[in-house]
Amino acid sequence: FRNSAPILLEATNGRLSIRSFQLTGGDPNFSLKGALTYLHHPALDLKANGTLDLQFLQLFQPQFQSSGGAVLSAAITGNPKSPLLNGTLQIQNGQLFAPGFPNGLSDVNGSVRFDNQRANIERLTAKTGGGTVNAAGFVDFSASGPLAYSMEAHADSVRVRYANSISVTANS
């Protein structure tokens, strides 16, 4: 990733304005614009748009292996302690492999709709263990405590290998 132009920030009277922030390189073409008020009444007014390479997930979880693309269009508003996120995320041809899990995910495609403090997974499909998985649900991050979530997944002909010797194929 690299910025395609100078990053331009302006700070005046307790407000940080992002005039130019554009990342490019390979598939990524991502921009962030807007403002952050940091004095008296902190507030966010940001817009994030563009394409991302899913390898960026490795910045947060270096042990993961990830690839594929995502298209993000989102507005981030509200208080920094309790931000509101509205928009969509489309995942395209993703792959995710996490240590400790017997199967990775490939051909990950789906859509997530952000509605204030809730992420609605409208559709998520992937291949794993020679079969397919379909999932939908939500994650609610409005409470100050643990995340509230509900997920429903269906597996078709998915094989999971245990302890390098037992292999089970199942539908759910």
Side-chain angles (χ1 to χ4, degrees):
F1 306 114
R2 66 181 184 279
N3 48 311
S4 61
I7 296 172
L8 301 176
L9 306 173
E10 179 183 318
T12 57
N13 299 322
R15 182 177 170 94
L16 175 68
S17 296
I18 302 169
R19 301 279 185 227
S20 174
F21 182 92
Q22 180 93 22
L23 295 177
T24 60
D27 286 336
N29 186 6
F30 175 78
S31 69
L32 180 67
K33 292 187 178 185
L36 163 61
T37 303
Y38 54 88
L39 292 179
H40 308 298
H41 302 287
L44 300 168
D45 184 13
L46 301 168
K47 301 242 185 303
N49 291 290
T51 58
L52 295 167
D53 188 318
L54 292 176
Q55 284 184 340
F56 87 92
L57 294 173
Q58 293 170 229
L59 295 172
F60 306 102
Q61 293 291 331
Q63 68 274 24
F64 283 13
Q65 294 179 14
S66 56
S67 65
V71 178
L72 176 67
S73 177
I76 306 153
T77 59
N79 184 309
K81 290 183 181 179
S82 185
L84 303 175
L85 178 61
N86 288 284
T88 59
L89 174 69
Q90 300 290 324
I91 300 169
Q92 302 167 337
N93 300 317
Q95 293 189 28
L96 179 62
F97 299 93
F101 284 90
N103 290 8
L105 299 174
S106 63
D107 293 327
V108 180
N109 291 285
S111 60
V112 179
R113 184 175 41 83
F114 299 102
D115 186 13
N116 291 319
Q117 294 181 322
R118 184 174 171 132
N120 295 295
I121 302 163
E122 295 178 331
R123 176 188 54 81
L124 187 65
T125 61
K127 292 182 180 175
T128 185
T132 59
V133 175
N134 296 294
F138 71 87
V139 177
D140 188 324
F141 39 93
S142 62
S144 61
L147 294 176
Y149 59 91
S150 174
M151 292 289 294
E152 183 175 315
H154 299 279
D156 184 32
S157 301
V158 173
R159 183 183 66 240
V160 179
R161 190 174 304 271
Y162 295 99
N164 293 325
S165 61
I166 300 171
S167 180
V168 177
T169 301
N171 298 318
S172 71

